[in-house]
Amino acid sequence: MAMAGASDAPDRPPAPRSLLSQAVADLAPFPGRAALTWRIALLCALVSATAMLFQTPEAAISCYLIIFLMKPDAVQNIGTAIGLILLVALVVLALIPIINATVETPLLRLLAIALVSFIFLFIGAASQLGEIGGVIGLVFAFLLTLVNMAPVADAVTFGLRYAAYMAMMPMAWMIAFNLVLGLSPVRLLRATLRERLEACADAIASGAPARHEALAELLRADNAALEKQAGFVRLLNLVRRRNAAQIARDVRASYRLMLAASGLPDDLDPASRTDILAALHAAIAALDAGEQPPMPPAPDIAAGAAESEIFAALAIIAGAPEGEVVAAPKAPFLFPDALSNPAYQRFALKTTAAAVICYLIYTGLDWSGIHTAMITCYVAALGTTGETVHKLGLRIFGCLIGAAMGMAAILFVMPQLETVGGLMVLVFAGVLVGAWVSTGPERIAYGGVQVALAFLLTVLQGFGPATSLDTAWDRVVGILLGNVVIYLIFTHLWPVPIESAVRAHLKAALAGVSRIATLAPELRPHAVQDAALVGSEIGKAAELVALVPFEPPAIRAAPEVEAVLRATTAEIGQLVRDVYLARVPAASVEESLARLDATVAT
């Protein structure tokens, strides 16, 4: 029988792909991508048609909310839409006195724009609200810039109408659409279970599971989001209570399965490999037939820790008791350092400053057509300078592609359109291209959002088919202006190096490993949540390290520091697996944790 552990050599990340091969891989289809893409495109077509029929302004922003917020899970989409509608309604009520106080005084209105923007950007950066905070800040800052268009006596109702137009209408459509054509979370979770089983089978069959790229990527995905999805299934009684409990167990057990599979040695006994693969293929076949996976055979008495854990996880998926789950600490809504870490305030200040500067430029020039500069500031800003520059590059590239598509549509398609239905078809086709990219990996997703947004800003100019290239050109200029302003501010004012963010993620990962290590060996297999948290944190760290080349040289980590961060990320990934499988002596774990803590803190 082969040894229980994997190779003693640390896991090595795969060699970087060329830009072309990476792009081809990122644009390749995967299960569920086409289904989400056409749903986003169809929903944007419906939203734009509603805007045309009822003559509601800024339809492109409404469609942007759909592209940005639409996820595969119908229940999650409905919950997000309801939450945003309620939040928008509450904030509009809070803005009534601000609108009344500033409607006749441009300076006060400018201060109100800055204040509202800062508050929501800060809350988004310092809490679990995340990028939604920036979206809300965008909607209401932009709303306040339009108040001067309204008669003084009608300013409040004007503001309320615009809020409903830009945010509530698309969210109402998102609720209705997902009730009818949304993807069931039960179906999505079952597809995820199958994907995990198949990845484990492929990795084990490859003979080097610890270095299997697809398995490593799944281990670094957000398992907590899947657990939350399973929780909604139970809460909303989408299936019988017994089945809902099994779905939640499947999420945890399948992660246990992947972690154990990645810990198998390269020189695993062929007979053991055959037995494991047979059990995995039997489970996959049962899922394909819509049945409960069969109970796997008992592992060999001489099986190692990883092999035993694989059969234990498969047994849970087949319906065996799971045992008590060791829960990971729940993250509070506000981050613990929300009020002490100046990075959140600086981010909000920088983004607000960029938006206000763009607002002053286009109002000072009396060139309202480039108001897209202000919108750009909210959707292009990210925490670190490297992330912002990377997103800026995606935005410019996506903007040029989307604008070219839009201008071609204006020249060759718009003259042939006579009805709103024809415009819906055009919007569907244009958004379909952007949505295909935006539903892909995170490293290219925002480029797709920008392709769709630039296309929409170009073709949705009024309340019917547009034929003006001047408006399209103005909006492209605005996007480019916003990018320039964001770049200058984020690279010169309090630039945040990626290195600090990577170290923060690695510190959180080590804390998770430490919590698992304090458990008795027999309890560690139940600490799935902490193990998944570690995987997610090192995944975020690895993604950030890949963005180091986008940083300005003045704040970029030295090559030797970058190499240390990459090696530390890989070592933590191996350590959590070894600690989870309880095959490392306690003294060795303490020594490794102390050494890695010192490395991360340096």
Side-chain angles (χ1 to χ4, degrees):
M1 179 62 62
M3 65 180 183
S7 171
D8 291 335
D11 297 346
R12 295 180 181 178
R17 293 174 171 172
S18 68
L19 186 62
L20 179 60
S21 62
Q22 185 65 67
V24 171
D26 290 342
L27 292 173
F30 56 77
R33 187 173 195 171
L36 181 58
T37 297
W38 73 257
R39 283 172 169 82
I40 292 174
L42 179 56
L43 187 50
C44 286
L46 292 169
V47 169
S48 61
T50 303
M52 299 301 106
L53 290 172
F54 292 94
Q55 297 193 352
T56 58
E58 302 300 337
I61 295 180
S62 298
C63 291
Y64 165 74
L65 294 178
I66 297 295
I67 299 165
F68 184 74
L69 296 174
M70 185 83 161
K71 306 299 180 189
D73 184 353
V75 172
Q76 181 183 354
N77 291 334
I78 292 171
T80 299
I82 292 173
L84 191 59
I85 287 173
L86 294 175
L87 189 57
V88 167
L90 291 174
V91 175
V92 165
L93 291 176
L95 282 179
I96 288 176
I98 297 177
I99 294 174
N100 282 329
T102 63
V103 66
E104 296 180 338
T105 311
L107 180 59
L108 286 178
R109 188 162 61 250
L110 181 64
L111 293 175
I113 290 171
L115 179 63
V116 170
S117 173
F118 175 82
I119 289 173
F120 284 106
L121 285 167
F122 171 75
I123 294 174
S127 74
Q128 302 295 332
L129 190 61
E131 291 182 327
I132 293 180
V135 172
I136 298 172
L138 161 64
V139 170
F140 287 101
F142 189 62
L143 166 66
L144 289 172
T145 69
L146 301 176
V147 168
N148 62 332
M149 297 169 54
V152 173
D154 196 38
V156 172
T157 56
F158 180 88
L160 291 172
R161 286 201 309 272
Y162 262 68
Y165 296 159
M166 288 191 291
M168 294 185 181
M169 182 269 286
M171 293 300 99
W173 257 119
M174 194 157 85
I175 293 171
F177 185 91
N178 279 278
L179 285 172
V180 178
L181 292 174
L183 293 170
S184 163
V186 177
R187 175 183 169 188
L188 292 171
L189 288 168
R190 182 168 284 268
T192 299
L193 174 60
R194 191 194 186 286
E195 180 185 15
R196 289 180 166 187
L197 290 169
E198 192 167 24
C200 288
D202 290 344
I204 295 169
S206 73
R211 294 179 294 282
H212 192 267
E213 188 175 348
L215 184 60
E217 188 173 343
L218 289 175
L219 281 168
R220 294 180 175 186
D222 189 359
N223 198 66
L226 296 175
E227 288 210 57
K228 186 182 297 184
Q229 202 174 12
F232 282 132
V233 171
R234 178 186 57 80
L235 182 66
L236 299 176
N237 290 318
L238 298 181
V239 295
R240 290 185 298 177
R241 185 172 296 274
R242 176 184 175 185
N243 293 340
Q246 182 62 49
I247 289 172
R249 288 194 293 269
D250 288 345
V251 171
R252 292 186 290 268
S254 59
Y255 193 90
R256 291 175 64 170
L257 176 66
M258 293 192 299
L259 193 58
S262 70
L264 288 172
D266 294 352
D267 58 348
L268 180 66
D269 180 72
S272 297
R273 179 179 286 111
T274 300
D275 290 344
I276 294 172
L277 289 174
L280 286 168
H281 289 143
I284 293 171
L287 288 176
D288 289 342
E291 301 171 356
Q292 179 92 20
M295 192 66 64
D300 190 286
I301 193 170
E307 295 173 57
S308 299
E309 180 64 9
I310 285 175
F311 284 107
L314 285 171
I316 294 171
I317 294 171
E322 180 183 26
E324 184 178 357
V325 177
V326 179
K330 290 188 177 180
F333 177 73
L334 276 178
F335 298 153
D337 61 346
L339 301 179
S340 60
N341 188 345
Y344 306 126
Q345 300 166 28
R346 291 173 178 175
F347 170 77
L349 280 172
K350 289 189 291 187
T351 307
T352 298
V356 169
I357 288 171
C358 289
Y359 173 64
L360 291 174
I361 289 174
Y362 73 74
T363 53
L365 295 174
D366 193 22
W367 193 0
S368 61
I370 63 170
H371 67 272
T372 47
M374 185 177 184
I375 299 171
T376 296
C377 296
Y378 289 95
V379 298
L382 285 172
T384 66
T385 303
E387 288 177 285
T388 299
V389 173
H390 173 254
K391 193 173 185 180
L392 183 146
L394 289 175
R395 185 170 176 79
I396 292 176
F397 188 65
C399 167
L400 296 176
I401 294 176
M405 290 167 51
M407 290 183 178
I410 290 174
L411 288 172
F412 302 109
V413 180
M414 286 293 192
Q416 317 302 323
L417 299 183
E418 297 179 353
T419 64
V420 172
L423 185 62
M424 286 180 65
V425 174
L426 177 63
V427 169
F428 177 85
V431 174
L432 196 70
V433 176
W436 181 268
V437 182
S438 71
T439 54
E442 187 68 26
R443 56 182 159 263
I444 67 164
Y446 189 71
V449 173
Q450 184 53 50
V451 169
L453 181 59
F455 174 80
L456 291 166
L457 286 168
T458 304
V459 300
L460 298 179
Q461 299 178 17
F463 307 121
T467 57
S468 172
L469 285 176
D470 290 340
T471 302
W473 171 249
D474 288 351
R475 294 186 173 189
V476 173
V477 170
I479 292 171
L480 297 177
L481 171 64
N483 277 313
V484 170
V485 174
I486 278 285
Y487 175 80
L488 292 175
I489 288 180
F490 273 73
T491 55
H492 292 86
L493 182 62
W494 298 313
V496 180
I498 281 178
E499 179 185 348
S500 61
V502 171
R503 293 185 186 277
H505 286 301
L506 294 180
K507 183 178 179 181
L510 285 172
V513 177
S514 181
R515 287 193 295 271
I516 298 173
T518 59
L519 298 172
E522 63 272 13
L523 292 179
R524 292 180 189 178
H526 302 290
V528 181
Q529 293 182 353
D530 265 323
L533 176 63
V534 174
S536 176
E537 293 292 342
I538 62 175
K540 293 173 183 176
E543 290 173 0
L544 286 173
V545 171
L547 298 180
V548 167
F550 291 94
E551 286 190 304
I555 63 171
R556 187 183 303 163
E560 55 271 20
V561 174
E562 182 183 347
V564 168
L565 293 175
R566 290 182 185 275
T568 303
T569 301
E571 187 174 352
I572 294 174
Q574 178 177 341
L575 181 62
V576 67
R577 182 175 62 229
D578 291 342
V579 171
Y580 179 82
L581 295 173
R583 60 189 185 194
V584 184
S588 177
V589 173
E590 292 178 5
E591 179 184 343
S592 295
L593 286 172
R595 176 174 52 79
L596 290 170
D597 273 327
T599 301
V600 169
T602 302

